């Protein structure tokens, strides 16, 4: 009798690390926000940030990226064990750095007055109400979105068009964080650089090369 192979949506070796990534992200973001809520916060806004227009409809991109994250993190977790562990540990390492930044240099920014009542402006009001202007540098939105591109970049089992689409989507998220006034340019740059640095570090660690 031929034993049927079991199809696993997520490889068994990636399940716990993937759960750890989600839990650690929440602990870092919520924990830092709770600890620093009464601390002095710094504004890294530059003159060029003030020239970027407030475009409420781009909140659609800002929120749609959560689906982008889920899809691409699952794709990365489905890679071979070495690649999956390298990617997931890079995320965990990056969030640890984020925690240090959130605690050492708590950040904030100046949000615009929303006067209109279109659906996008109402959604922006809701986002501003739910998500306080803190934990801005580096931008986790930009960090995770760039990781979504890094994780599929140059992967032979991922179609080139999808790699390109992931890059475009990540850049669209960067823009949306600025046009919704959720972040400033320094936050975006910090998120991208941190993702690249942490992914490079895990790539140099021999433990992931031996898996």
């Amino acid at each position: 009798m031929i034993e049927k192979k079991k199809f696993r949506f997520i490889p068994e070796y990636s399940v716990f690390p993937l759960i750890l990534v989600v839990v650690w992200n929440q602990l870092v973001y919520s924990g830092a926000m709770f600890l620093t809520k009464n601390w002095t916060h710094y504004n890294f806004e530059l003159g060029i940030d003030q020239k970027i227009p407030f475009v409420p409809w781009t909140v659609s991109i800002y929120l749609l990226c959560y689906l982008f994250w889920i899809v691409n993190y699952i794709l990365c977790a489905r890679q071979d064990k070495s690649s999956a562990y390298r990617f997931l540990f890079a995320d965990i390492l990056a969030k640890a750095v984020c925690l240090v930044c959130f605690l050492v240099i708590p950040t904030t920014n100046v949000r615009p007055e929303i006067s209109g009542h279109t659906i996008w402006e109402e959604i922006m009001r809701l986002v501003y109400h739910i998500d306080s202007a803190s934990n801005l540098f580096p931008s986790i939105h930009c960090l995770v979105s760039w990781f979504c591109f890094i994780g599929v970049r140059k992967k032979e089992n991922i179609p080139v068009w999808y790699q390109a689409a992931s890059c475009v989507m990540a850049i669209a998220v960067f823009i949306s964080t600025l046009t919704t006034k959720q972040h400033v340019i320094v936050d975006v740059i910090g998120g991208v650089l941190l993702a690249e640095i942490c992914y490079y570090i895990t790539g140099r660690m021999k433990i992931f090369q031996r898996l």
Side-chain angles (χ1 to χ4, degrees), residues 2 20-22 42 44 54 79 82 120 138 146 154 163 169 194:
I2 300 176
L20 183 60
V21 162
V22 176
Y42 302 92
F44 288 168
F54 173 55
Q79 300 292 324
S82 177
W120 302 119
W146 197 243
K154 298 180 180 179
Q163 296 179 38
M169 181 59 185
L194 181 58

Side-chain angles (χ1 to χ4, degrees), residues 28 31-37 39-40 42 96-107 135 137:
V28 167
M33 189 173 294
F34 175 78
L35 291 172
T36 64
K37 61 182 178 181
W39 297 8
T40 299
Y42 302 92
V97 176
C98 285
L99 178 60
V100 173
C101 291
F102 295 161
L103 296 178
V104 175
I105 44 173
T107 47
N135 289 351
F137 176 83

Side-chain angles (χ1 to χ4, degrees), residues 95-207:
K95 299 300 172 49
V97 176
C98 285
L99 178 60
V100 173
C101 291
F102 295 161
L103 296 178
V104 175
I105 44 173
T107 47
T108 188
N109 67 356
V110 179
R111 289 172 166 176
E113 289 286 339
I114 304 176
S115 57
H117 294 281
T118 68
I119 184 172
W120 302 119
E121 287 162 328
E122 294 296 345
I123 293 174
M124 280 303 323
R125 284 193 183 89
L126 179 62
V127 170
Y128 283 176
H129 176 71
I130 295 174
D131 189 19
S132 65
S134 58
N135 289 351
L136 303 186
F137 176 83
S139 165
I140 286 185
H141 247 73
C142 297
L143 169 77
V144 175
S145 294
W146 197 243
F147 263 135
C148 284
F149 170 58
I150 288 176
V152 300
R153 185 174 60 192
K154 298 180 180 179
K155 296 295 184 182
E156 294 182 357
N157 61 331
I158 303 292
V160 174
W161 70 264
Y162 190 82
Q163 296 179 38
S166 293
C167 182
V168 170
M169 181 59 185
I171 293 173
V173 173
F174 300 166
I175 295 171
S176 75
T177 65
L178 300 175
T179 54
T180 56
K181 299 301 177 178
Q182 284 287 82
H183 288 281
V184 296
I185 290 175
V186 173
D187 304 333
V188 176
I189 295 173
V192 173
L193 288 179
L194 181 58
E196 289 287 357
I197 290 170
C198 289
Y199 192 69
Y200 174 79
I201 290 173
T202 55
R204 302 290 294 179
M205 297 173 70
K206 294 183 179 180
I207 184 172

Side-chain angles (χ1 to χ4, degrees), residues 8-68:
R8 290 186 178 275
F9 187 63
I10 298 175
E12 188 173 352
Y13 56 76
S14 289
V15 173
F16 177 74
L18 195 55
I19 293 173
L20 183 60
V21 162
V22 176
V23 173
W24 178 231
N25 177 82
Q26 192 60 34
L27 286 174
V28 167
Y29 193 79
S30 300
M33 189 173 294
F34 175 78
L35 291 172
T36 64
K37 61 182 178 181
N38 295 319
W39 297 8
T40 299
H41 285 61
Y42 302 92
N43 189 343
F44 288 168
E45 187 178 42
L46 303 173
I48 190 172
D49 288 297
Q50 298 174 4
K51 296 179 181 179
I52 297 174
F54 173 55
V55 187
W57 72 262
T58 56
V59 71
S60 60
I61 300 173
Y62 185 82
L63 297 177
L64 183 63
C65 73
Y66 286 97
L67 177 60
F68 173 51

Side-chain angles (χ1 to χ4, degrees), residues 82-83 85-94 197-211:
S82 177
S83 298
Y85 274 40
R86 176 192 177 184
F87 173 81
L88 296 171
F89 185 76
D91 179 280
I92 293 170
L93 176 61
I197 290 170
C198 289
Y199 192 69
Y200 174 79
I201 290 173
T202 55
R204 302 290 294 179
M205 297 173 70
K206 294 183 179 180
I207 184 172
F208 297 113
Q209 298 173 7
R210 295 171 181 170
L211 292 176

